[in-house]
């Protein structure tokens, strides 16, 4: 979806697209892009930040999930910590068909890069990184892990989700015109192929008039590493049917999870957090 400078218009646009998606295909899950209520940029985060779940944006997400009886992966918004107003996070919320907040993921890995001749960005100037892994289940049968944008570059994080029984990873994300052409599809197919699960990414539409120009191309990749569907760079709703049996079929045919030499190496979650 296109994201402008007016928060209320952004939220209304998101709600409109959700209603359209449900009217067209009656999906179980609808997902929004990273920073869907705010322009993506460090100078905007404090202005657009809200508390979760009490802020305007998340109240609207709760209501639409309940109204339409769907799961909503609410992209991300800048979150202000109610216990410390100076603390800001880039946060994804997940809402049940009852309108209940069932998961909240704060972006773990902050986007601090400086590509010579390309893009320079430093989220850590204003944001704090999260420290919790985030999963939710669809009707207790299909487990989904949540990451945000730059999180996808860290295979260890995705591996822990896989070890924890996830069938799919969802990343609201906003790659740019430097990293998008090089790594957007590559990283999704790598995570899907290595871990033998579905990967979905949801991007804002490209707007060349903004300082940070998103690559676009929201995408779903299956456990074979095959692209199921991809959007273009412009505003678009894409739909994918998820075969809940495909993960196990792929894992049975190429049983890498059983062949890993965990006597020699292993990826572990630090339980201190």
């Amino acid at each position: 979806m296109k994201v402008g400078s007016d928060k209320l218009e952004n939220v209304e646009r998101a709600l409109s697209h959700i209603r359209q998606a449900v009217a067209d295909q009656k999906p179980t899950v609808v997902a929004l892009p990273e920073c869907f209520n705010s322009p993506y940029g460090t100078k905007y985060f404090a202005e657009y930040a809200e508390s979760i779940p009490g802020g305007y944006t998340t109240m609207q997400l709760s209501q639409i999930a309940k109204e339409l009886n769907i799961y909503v992966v609410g992209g991300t918004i800048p979150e202000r910590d109610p216990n410390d107003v100076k603390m800001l996070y880039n946060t994804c919320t997940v809402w049940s068909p009852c309108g209940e907040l069932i998961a909240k993921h704060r972006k773990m890995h902050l986007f601090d890069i400086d590509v010579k001749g390309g893009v320079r960005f430093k989220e850590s100037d204003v944001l704090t990184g999260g420290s919790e892994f985030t999963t939710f289940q669809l009707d207790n049968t299909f487990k989904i892990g949540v990451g945000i944008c730059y999180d996808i570059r860290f295979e260890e994080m995705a591996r822990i989700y896989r070890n924890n029984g996830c069938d799919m990873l969802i990343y609201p994300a906003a790659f740019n015109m430097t990293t998008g052409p090089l790594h957007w599809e590559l990283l999704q197919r790598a995570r899907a192929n290595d871990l033998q699960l579905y990967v979905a990414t949801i991007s804002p539409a490209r707007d060349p008039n903004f300082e940070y120009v998103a690559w676009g191309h929201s995408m779903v990749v299956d456990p074979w590493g095959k692209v199921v569907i991809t959007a273009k760079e412009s505003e678009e709703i894409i739909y994918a049917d998820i075969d809940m049996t495909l993960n196990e079929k792929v894992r049975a045919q190429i049983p890498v999870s059983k062949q890993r030499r965990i006597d020699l190496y292993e990826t572990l979650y630090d339980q201190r957090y």
Side-chain angles (χ1 to χ4, degrees), residues 29 67 74 152 165 173 180 216 238:
V29 182
E67 172 192 332
I152 199 173
I238 60 172

Side-chain angles (χ1 to χ4, degrees), residues 92-113:
C92 176
T93 57
V94 182
W95 304 87
S96 78
C98 297
E100 176 188 2
L101 178 63
I102 56 174
K104 183 177 84 167
H105 181 73
R106 290 170 167 172
K107 189 174 189 176
M108 281 190 184
H109 303 92
L110 298 182
F111 184 54
D112 287 3
I113 70 165

Side-chain angles (χ1 to χ4, degrees), residues 6 15 20 27 33 36 42 56 59 61 69 71 74 81 108 123 128 141 167 193 202 248-249 262 265 269:
D6 188 309
L15 298 179
Q20 180 182 339
F36 78 91
T42 54
Y56 171 78
M59 288 176 63
L61 294 178
N69 193 36
Y71 289 89
D81 191 329
M108 281 190 184
E123 277 188 326
T128 299
T141 59
D167 302 292
N193 178 71
I202 310 92
E248 291 308 318
K249 291 176 183 176
I262 58 174
Y265 55 84
Y269 169 49

Side-chain angles (χ1 to χ4, degrees), residues 243-259:
D243 180 354
M244 292 187 176
T245 69
L246 185 58
N247 286 351
E248 291 308 318
K249 291 176 183 176
V250 172
R251 294 168 187 177
Q253 293 174 70
I254 308 178
V256 292
S257 62
K258 297 178 181 178
Q259 296 168 331

